[in-house]
Amino acid sequence: MPSPASPQFIILAYATDGIFADIIPYDKLTHLNYSFLTPKTDGTFNSINNAWKLKQIVKDAHEHNVKVCISVGGWGWDSQFEELAANPETRSVFVQNLKAFVDEYELDGVDMDWEYPDQGQSSQNFLALIQELRAAMPDKLLTTAVVSYGDDNGLGVPNESFELFDFVNIMTYVGQDHGSMEQFERGLSYWSERGLPKGKIVMGVPFYGDPNLPYYKIVQADPNASQTDMFDYFGTVYHYNGIPTLQSKTRIAMEKAGGIMFWALDHDAQGELSLVKAIYDAIHSTP
């Protein structure tokens, strides 16, 4: 098991362009993914929101030895990825533009968030795109976000891509069993059995209640909700991960994976009820 100070154990925060940059707890993170840079079908990109903020985050993060990557895509951008990746010319344009973006903002790498390539030709196009990105940025971090466990979505990510990624972010907070321990363990088992090396498995946890209620709002309504995984918020029951569950997952990840990540830092509470603090404390209290 990695020691608490081990640089091999990843603590990765996804942060959106809406985050207040001055509250990011860099001392409790190893990586931060800024979300999202969205693609066009011709291989170019839409303008990123709050570019000044990304520059500030990169500067502050690097002062704390935290690596910053740009997350490309996100939910709802499948069709753009499908079209651009199917054409060698637009793939090349995409790779060139993405490398230029990484260089301009002095980023440490790229998180490919294509949700999700299908099996068959789409999967092969995904592999070709990742191969070209790796060739263009051999010295940069290259990661991807994948669905939690073994269904058609998971099978669209080919095993041949594993060696190209520095690590893979497993989104074990998607679907009806949002953030459950069963989903977490299933996701871990699935990708391990697929042959993804332990050190490249970064397990995902939610910082929100399903459907789409930030954790900080839950604990604002009742601080005791930080100790449970279900809360009735003005007549709607939300499922999420409270501090005990999150710390249990962190300890499992330390034993069986290479890190833990979360969506999204923007949703965390401040102070003693912070989920980032809970993760950090679990890592540093583990023998």
Side-chain angles (χ1 to χ4, degrees):
M1 179 183 294
S3 67
S6 172
Q8 283 77 36
F9 191 78
I10 293 161
I11 309 171
L12 186 152
Y14 278 88
T16 76
D17 54 48
I19 196 167
F20 293 103
D22 57 352
I23 65 169
I24 295 174
Y26 294 108
D27 60 325
K28 295 179 174 63
L29 304 175
T30 63
H31 297 71
L32 186 146
N33 286 354
Y34 191 82
S35 310
F36 287 103
L37 177 67
T38 55
K40 297 181 181 179
T41 56
D42 63 0
T44 62
F45 295 95
N46 296 299
S47 296
I48 195 162
N49 293 328
N50 299 328
W52 64 270
K53 189 181 296 186
L54 176 56
K55 292 179 180 179
Q56 183 63 48
I57 287 173
V58 170
K59 177 178 179 294
D60 293 344
H62 286 171
E63 288 175 356
H64 290 82
N65 296 314
V66 173
K67 296 184 183 298
V68 182
C69 295
I70 187 67
S71 287
V72 183
W75 181 252
W77 294 90
D78 293 46
S79 60
Q80 286 83 355
F81 277 124
E82 291 282 358
E83 188 168 339
L84 75 87
N87 185 321
E89 292 183 4
T90 49
R91 272 204 314 267
S92 178
V93 171
F94 175 91
V95 170
Q96 291 171 17
N97 279 295
L98 188 50
K99 184 180 186 303
F101 186 93
V102 167
D103 291 343
E104 178 183 356
Y105 288 91
E106 300 180 333
L107 294 161
D108 297 289
V110 171
D111 176 57
M112 285 294 294
D113 209 341
W114 176 350
E115 301 177 16
Y116 311 93
D118 295 325
Q119 296 182 66
Q121 188 59 52
S122 174
S123 179
Q124 291 306 302
N125 294 341
F126 172 86
L127 179 60
L129 184 60
I130 300 305
Q131 288 171 331
E132 291 174 33
L133 279 171
R134 176 48 79 202
M137 293 184 276
D139 58 336
K140 297 291 185 179
L141 285 174
L142 184 57
T143 69
T144 191
V146 295
V147 74
S148 57
Y149 50 87
D151 54 16
D152 290 343
N153 292 333
L155 292 171
V157 177
N159 288 18
E160 297 95 319
S161 68
F162 293 172
E163 65 179 6
L164 303 171
F165 292 119
D166 289 278
F167 52 87
V168 174
N169 299 308
I170 314 299
M171 295 193 291
T172 32
Y173 45 77
V174 177
Q176 292 184 342
D177 51 353
H178 167 80
S180 69
M181 185 62 78
E182 180 187 3
Q183 186 188 45
F184 186 87
E185 292 175 340
R186 232 176 22 242
L188 179 56
S189 295
Y190 172 73
W191 291 100
S192 296
E193 291 167 6
R194 281 276 304 270
L196 184 62
K198 172 184 173 181
K200 292 190 176 188
I201 298 174
V202 178
M203 296 301 300
V205 294
F207 276 23
Y208 66 98
D210 186 43
N212 203 28
L213 180 67
Y215 168 78
Y216 74 81
K217 288 191 175 182
I218 295 172
V219 296
Q220 279 177 352
D222 183 357
N224 292 325
S226 64
Q227 302 301 310
T228 67
D229 297 330
M230 185 172 64
F231 185 67
D232 188 326
Y233 187 82
F234 298 104
T236 300
V237 175
Y238 289 87
H239 296 266
Y240 57 99
N241 284 174
I243 288 173
T245 295
L246 207 60
Q247 291 190 321
S248 294
K249 288 182 174 182
T250 300
R251 286 187 283 268
I252 292 170
M254 288 191 70
E255 181 181 352
K256 298 181 178 180
I260 197 157
M261 68 84 171
F262 43 88
W263 177 274
L265 185 58
D266 316 36
H267 300 156
D268 197 15
Q270 301 298 300
E272 289 301 308
L273 300 183
S274 163
L275 295 178
V276 174
K277 180 181 183 300
I279 290 171
Y280 184 83
D281 288 349
I283 292 168
H284 285 259
S285 65
T286 301

